[in-house]
Amino acid sequence: MSGPKDKLAASLYGLGWATVKKLPEPAAVRLGRTIADTAWRRRGAGVLRLERNLARVVPDATPERLAELSRAGMRSYLRYWMESFRLPSWSRERIASGVEMRDEDVRLLTGTLAAGRGVVLALPHMGNWDLAGAWVTTHLGIPFTTVAERLKPETLYDRFVAYREGLGMEVLPHDGGSAFGALARRLRKGGLVCLVADRDLSASGVEVDFFGERARMPAGPALLAQQTGALLLPATLWFDDTPVMKARLHPPVEVPAGGTRPERSAVMTQRLADAFASGIAEHPEDWHMLQRLWPADLDDRRGEGESA
């Protein structure tokens, strides 16, 4: 059963989708910045965790620099939410103009799919991955499949699924083997699968070196590429001072010629982690990691909560 906190969260998200999408865009931008700055000044659990994570990304940052980054990070995070609440009301033209990707990256993605080869697009929690997905389905005209973590209460999970399906995505629940099998079938048919892949949500994650420290990331992208022959492409997203989000595809992660499947998965997941780290280091304020990520932090229970 859902508790009062879960019901409150569902109510707040529902209020956001119902009201923010009706605001003029400048008003939504101002509201998001105001909420972000208020949360940042309160120094809650999410802000403190964000700063600890950013301290690994920018190890030589002074406390003042970390504070600047966390404030910019909260503004980026609220920009994601304000845009996401408004996305269902955006026109196809507004979505098309909201993302910029290099022509050579677009050709790599569309050309691979046109040749009948599936693609696994893996990205970290950067920028606005929902906007990127809507851009792929509407502007590029490419349907894709993704997975969603089950949220509490169930009504909140259902709302997220309906929202993303409304943007043209096929959404599967993050239920381990059943989801993996469905994703593999889509890829064998030459389809596109998009996965946010910088945080392991299972006990089967692959150990990687991430910003000089041990972390765990999901094995799914590497395993899917091995089993289906799909091309594994890392991607990163970031904001700048314009309303247009930037997107970049990194060089493909190839399947190693030798080794066992676990060994190949380890090599490929490390290469994904390296690509993610490259993009995050260039735009640390756009990495929305307000949760514990490194195993060294898992026993750090100093009043921290988890963020959606």
Side-chain angles (χ1 to χ4, degrees), residues 119-140:
V119 174
V120 179
L121 201 60
L123 61 157
H125 287 80
M126 289 186 76
N128 187 338
W129 47 96
D130 286 330
L131 172 57
W135 183 80
V136 168
T137 60
T138 59
H139 180 61
L140 297 184

Side-chain angles (χ1 to χ4, degrees), residues 33-275:
R33 181 160 292 198
T34 297
I35 295 172
D37 288 349
T38 299
W40 178 78
R41 285 194 295 269
R42 289 180 177 173
R43 307 287 294 163
V47 173
L48 295 177
R49 172 50 54 198
L50 177 63
E51 284 192 5
R52 292 184 183 123
N53 290 339
L54 288 172
R56 289 176 164 100
V57 177
V58 191
D60 58 348
T62 63
E64 293 77 16
R65 174 59 177 152
L66 280 178
E68 291 174 359
L69 280 174
S70 67
R71 183 178 188 181
M74 291 304 296
R75 288 183 172 185
S76 176
Y77 184 52
L78 264 295
R79 174 173 172 175
Y80 160 76
W81 280 111
M82 292 297 107
E83 288 183 350
S84 294
F85 287 143
R86 290 174 51 77
L87 263 176
S89 66
W90 281 14
S91 67
R92 295 176 66 90
E93 293 74 21
R94 177 65 183 88
I95 293 172
S97 65
V99 178
E100 181 180 296
M101 180 185 282
R102 299 179 304 183
D103 290 343
E104 56 265 37
D105 289 349
V106 173
R107 287 194 296 269
L108 174 60
L109 176 61
T110 58
T112 303
L113 293 168
R117 185 181 183 187
V119 174
V120 179
L121 201 60
L123 61 157
H125 287 80
M126 289 186 76
N128 187 338
W129 47 96
D130 286 330
L131 172 57
W135 183 80
V136 168
T137 60
T138 59
H139 180 61
L140 297 184
I142 301 172
F144 70 86
T145 305
T146 187
V147 296
E149 179 184 3
R150 284 200 175 275
L151 303 172
K152 294 182 180 180
E154 193 74 15
T155 54
L156 180 57
Y157 170 78
D158 291 341
R159 185 182 289 272
F160 267 100
V161 170
Y163 155 68
R164 286 174 174 145
E165 288 180 340
L167 298 174
M169 312 173 195
E170 180 188 22
V171 183
L172 306 176
H174 191 278
D175 286 338
S178 60
F180 185 92
L183 295 174
R185 288 192 292 274
R186 305 298 187 273
L187 291 167
R188 290 191 181 102
K189 292 180 179 178
L192 173 64
V193 165
C194 298
L195 300 172
V196 180
D198 58 342
R199 183 169 178 253
D200 181 40
L201 296 175
S202 71
S204 59
V206 176
E207 187 171 300
V208 296
D209 179 89
F210 195 52
F211 290 104
E213 191 171 331
R214 182 174 62 91
R216 297 185 73 85
M217 292 188 180
L223 288 172
L224 285 167
Q226 290 179 70
Q227 292 195 17
T228 68
L231 184 66
L232 178 52
L233 282 176
T236 51
L237 310 168
W238 68 95
F239 299 126
D240 55 18
D241 294 332
T242 74
V244 182
M245 182 178 70
K246 307 304 186 291
R248 173 190 174 192
L249 297 185
H250 296 256
V253 174
E254 303 292 348
V255 178
T260 64
R261 184 166 67 177
E263 289 170 344
R264 293 193 298 268
S265 295
V267 171
M268 296 173 71
T269 306
Q270 181 62 63
R271 290 174 181 167
L272 267 186
D274 292 342

